[in-house]
Amino acid sequence: MPDPAASLSVFLETFGCQMNVLDSQLVRSQLLGLGYRFIDDWRRADVILYNTCSVREHAEQKVTSRLGWVGLHKRNKPGVVVGVIGCMAEREGEGIVRKYPQIDVLCGPGELDKLPMLIDNAVRTTSGGKVQAALQGNAHRRSSTLAAAEDELELLDLARSFSPDEHQGSAYVRITRGCNKFCTYCVVPRTRGAEVHRPPDHIVDECRHLVDSGVVEITLLGQTVNHYHYDHGAAVILGGVQQPQIGAVVSAKGIRGTSSRVTTFADLLRRIHDEVPGLQRLRFVTSFPRDFGDDILHVIRDCPRICRYLHLPVQSGSDRILKLMNRDYAVAQYTDLIDRARDILPGVLIASDLICGFPTETEDDHRMTMALMERARFKNCYVFKYSPRPGTTAHERMTDDVSEADKRRRNNELLALQSMISAEIHQQCVGRTVRVFVESISRKTRKRRNAADPSVELTWEKPEEIAQLSGRTDGDLIVMFDGDESLIGSIVDVEIDKAAPLTLFGRQTTRVCT
Ligand code: SAH
Ligand code: SF4
Ligand code: F3S
């Protein structure tokens, strides 16, 4: 019997965080391996997949509007298979199919290893068949034994493709999945499940294979990377595969003590740095402001290829609000951490996230957040208006009582202050030479090319246009400069001659490595 996947085309759109970007890459390589083809035009696809995010209502609205269009499209092309995968599938569960009967496949982020089977079933039963679903549902708060015995998701990461076509010199590597923190506003522990920590050998091997395939920069991913903790004494091997371990629910006393049989986050960073010497840049997101020990800062100080950059979301500058958010730290602990970081790592750049308009937030609370922002001097800060998420403690137990107008004003005030601080930090770079990992052509060049008439591009009269390239410094500052596209995926030196609040501009001096 012919393989039904062999001729099927897939359109896959990704929303949300870097975890989702990585999940989409893993899904893509899994489906490519089975003979599916990927295309950019959803109207021509046999399978339409949305890898979704639930963190704010707005993120979900983007997907529901897509589903509206797809519903109309399906009236003329009933055979098309529509899949909602990722956090929104998990949060909404099968109930979403009542609202959007055009959905054929639902797959939570913890079940993505089952996606090919679900798509295959849906392809075979398209004419009004039952939705094909794999969700963790109530099983997602697993015990440590179950986590060890059931973590087939590890196989998805292990089956990753290392083809140089799959990256442009930069790659994500997951170190933990899920989250045990339960911040009261946050949907992630409910969509991604309990925190599990991948075996360090798997992580180091993955980094090594990526570098062998040409990767220059690796970003380690986890919701609270500094809580990484793998106890070798308790390691379980199943079917020849070392299993991930459930993370500790961090108590008021902090994370469990360490022994020689434990790999901590600091140990993991050092192992990757030392055992993968071809890796030019190692970075990690996201750090949690509690239990971030000096051991981690010392490893960064001692390992030149680990970036001096921390993404440390603070969320609020008011202790009262932090408590209501269940963040488990006070503002003073946060400022102590950034002082320690700057002391041990001169020149370190720190980015953060803030939520404005959390239930009961007063003008005084807001002023405290503004004061913290001024004190902390983040290099950039993502500011979000509080969005109540069904299923979270804040949604169930607190009233969303800050008006939309106040949220918007506080949001704008925070952004204006951050913009001033970012501009000052950028200004200090003018005249200096910075090392830049070149990521892509800039949005400006891409837009100009898309707008250009392709037939004009091909005429001999038109001189070859120099691209504006976009990249990042070790401290994650965005740099634009004119250069040859062959530089994408390599590290170059750029002399900065102009600064704007969000971007540095300069000219390339030397190429450092490919
Ligand atoms: N694990 C990371 C954050 C993951 S979610 C951490 O703990 O910092 C990314 C960001 O989305 C959060 O830092 C927070 O600022 C924002 N966010 C999460 N839930 C939100 C909500 N309900 N409303 C508004 N912003 C939210
Ligand atoms: Fe959400 Fe808090 Fe976990 Fe971050 S640490 S993912 S904000 S619950
Ligand atoms: Fe969104 Fe899920 Fe990431 S809710 S932010 S895609 S972990």
Side-chain angles (χ1 to χ4, degrees):
M1 193 175 125
D3 178 356
S7 54
L8 292 183
S9 57
V10 183
F11 169 84
L12 168 60
E13 188 173 5
T14 307
F15 302 84
C17 63
Q18 293 116 318
M19 283 285 176
N20 262 16
V21 172
L22 175 57
D23 281 341
S24 284
Q25 287 167 358
L26 297 176
V27 159
R28 195 182 131 88
S29 50
Q30 193 185 25
L31 293 177
L32 280 173
L34 291 169
Y36 292 87
R37 291 179 294 120
F38 279 75
I39 60 171
D40 294 332
D41 180 0
W42 65 273
R43 287 179 193 81
R44 290 193 298 111
D46 301 307
V47 180
I48 300 175
L49 298 176
Y50 296 115
N51 191 5
T52 59
C53 173
S54 276
V55 80
R56 284 169 291 279
E57 194 183 354
H58 181 64
E60 293 196 346
Q61 281 164 351
K62 287 191 204 159
V63 176
T64 49
S65 102
R66 302 286 198 281
L67 287 173
W69 288 109
V70 163
L72 294 175
H73 170 71
K74 234 182 138 170
R75 287 192 197 158
N76 300 325
K77 211 179 160 188
V80 70
V81 167
V82 178
V84 172
I85 65 176
C87 289
M88 192 174 163
E90 189 63 53
R91 194 192 73 70
E92 289 263 10
E94 296 201 30
I96 192 177
V97 182
R98 280 196 290 280
K99 276 184 270 173
Y100 302 98
Q102 55 271 48
I103 299 174
D104 303 290
V105 169
L106 272 181
C107 187
E111 305 289 325
L112 287 173
D113 53 304
K114 303 187 182 66
L115 185 62
M117 182 195 76
L118 301 176
I119 295 176
D120 195 52
N121 288 346
V123 167
R124 290 170 201 272
T125 58
T126 37
S127 48
K130 184 176 160 299
V131 67
Q132 301 291 325
L135 305 165
Q136 289 193 328
N138 291 334
H140 70 227
R141 306 311 305 176
R142 294 168 297 180
S143 73
S144 50
T145 333
L146 271 178
E150 284 186 355
D151 207 318
E152 282 164 15
L153 202 53
E154 182 62 13
L155 300 175
L156 186 68
D157 291 72
L158 291 176
R160 168 174 206 164
S161 152
F162 295 107
S163 156
D165 303 338
E166 303 280 315
H167 61 75
Q168 288 198 307
S170 179
Y172 294 125
V173 171
R174 198 185 325 264
I175 66 166
T176 65
R177 282 192 277 268
C179 183
N180 281 352
K181 281 297 311 149
F182 286 97
C183 302
T184 54
Y185 51 82
C186 184
V187 81
V188 174
R190 290 161 180 86
T191 60
R192 297 248 168 203
E195 186 178 284
V196 293
H197 300 197
R198 298 186 63 211
D201 289 346
H202 292 186
I203 298 168
V204 175
D205 280 352
E206 198 171 320
C207 293
R208 192 179 297 115
H209 283 122
L210 285 165
V211 169
D212 288 347
S213 79
V215 162
V216 170
E217 173 185 85
I218 286 178
T219 305
L220 305 177
L221 297 184
Q223 296 299 349
T224 58
V225 283
N226 46 312
H227 291 172
Y228 181 84
H229 184 106
Y230 195 88
D231 184 345
H232 298 268
V236 173
I237 298 181
L238 277 177
V241 179
Q242 211 173 32
Q243 295 298 300
Q245 288 179 351
I246 204 103
V249 176
V250 178
S251 71
K253 293 196 197 84
I255 28 184
R256 289 167 287 182
T258 57
S259 76
S260 59
R261 306 202 65 203
V262 163
T263 298
T264 62
F265 183 56
D267 299 331
L268 181 69
L269 283 178
R270 191 180 282 281
R271 267 197 69 182
I272 300 171
H273 182 269
D274 293 352
E275 293 178 35
V276 192
L279 176 61
Q280 295 301 311
R281 269 192 188 178
L282 178 59
R283 44 170 91 250
F284 51 86
V285 286
T286 301
S287 302
F288 192 77
R290 253 199 57 184
D291 315 301
F292 197 107
D294 285 354
D295 56 338
I296 304 173
L297 298 171
H298 289 147
V299 171
I300 304 173
R301 179 196 61 197
D302 297 342
C303 297
R305 291 173 290 110
I306 302 181
C307 295
R308 293 192 170 200
Y309 163 70
L310 300 176
H311 184 198
L312 265 177
V314 64
Q315 312 301 1
S316 171
S318 153
D319 284 342
R320 189 181 69 83
I321 296 291
L322 286 174
K323 202 163 185 152
L324 287 176
M325 289 175 163
N326 190 32
R327 287 292 284 184
D328 264 347
Y329 54 82
V331 175
Q333 284 165 286
Y334 187 86
T335 49
D336 169 65
L337 169 57
I338 57 178
D339 289 347
R340 274 190 289 131
R342 288 184 170 138
D343 196 30
I344 297 173
L345 303 170
V348 67
L349 290 174
I350 298 170
S352 198
D353 297 357
L354 283 170
I355 297 177
C356 62
F358 188 78
T360 77
E361 187 187 71
T362 61
E363 286 305 314
D364 268 353
D365 295 315
H366 170 60
R367 272 191 287 275
M368 288 186 237
T369 303
M370 296 279 284
L372 172 68
M373 190 177 243
E374 226 158 314
R375 157 89 165 74
R377 296 192 63 78
F378 302 125
K379 70 122 187 132
N380 74 298
C381 187
Y382 300 95
V383 183
F384 304 106
K385 289 184 282 180
Y386 169 66
S387 167
R389 306 310 295 133
T392 61
T393 308
H395 179 263
E396 309 299 318
R397 304 212 190 128
M398 302 174 203
T399 312
D400 179 19
D401 57 358
V402 178
S403 70
E404 183 55 30
D406 280 339
K407 281 184 190 169
R408 197 174 321 125
R409 178 180 46 78
R410 290 175 194 173
N411 185 67
N412 290 342
E413 286 174 9
L414 287 163
L415 287 177
L417 175 59
Q418 182 56 50
S419 172
M420 247 168 55
I421 297 167
S422 299
E424 283 164 17
I425 292 175
H426 280 158
Q427 196 56 42
Q428 287 162 1
C429 298
V430 174
R432 293 207 332 238
T433 296
V434 293
R435 201 148 270 201
V436 177
F437 173 75
V438 189
E439 290 176 338
S440 58
I441 54 170
S442 72
R443 208 178 294 167
K444 189 172 122 195
T445 297
R446 201 170 312 135
K447 266 198 190 151
R448 210 170 40 219
R449 288 189 183 173
N450 289 344
D453 176 352
S455 61
V456 178
E457 291 243 359
L458 288 174
T459 59
W460 291 108
E461 289 83 8
K462 193 165 183 287
E464 184 82 349
E465 185 197 47
I466 294 258
Q468 186 185 51
L469 301 175
S470 163
R472 283 171 198 263
T473 65
D474 160 290
D476 205 48
L477 299 176
I478 299 172
V479 180
M480 309 274 186
F481 66 100
D482 288 345
D484 194 291
E485 280 166 64
S486 64
L487 294 174
I488 293 171
S490 62
I491 294 179
V492 299
D493 280 339
V494 175
E495 194 182 313
I496 301 303
D497 48 32
K498 205 170 91 189
L502 295 177
T503 320
L504 293 168
F505 296 90
R507 57 181 186 84
Q508 182 201 345
T509 52
T510 53
R511 181 173 182 141
V512 180
C513 78
T514 48

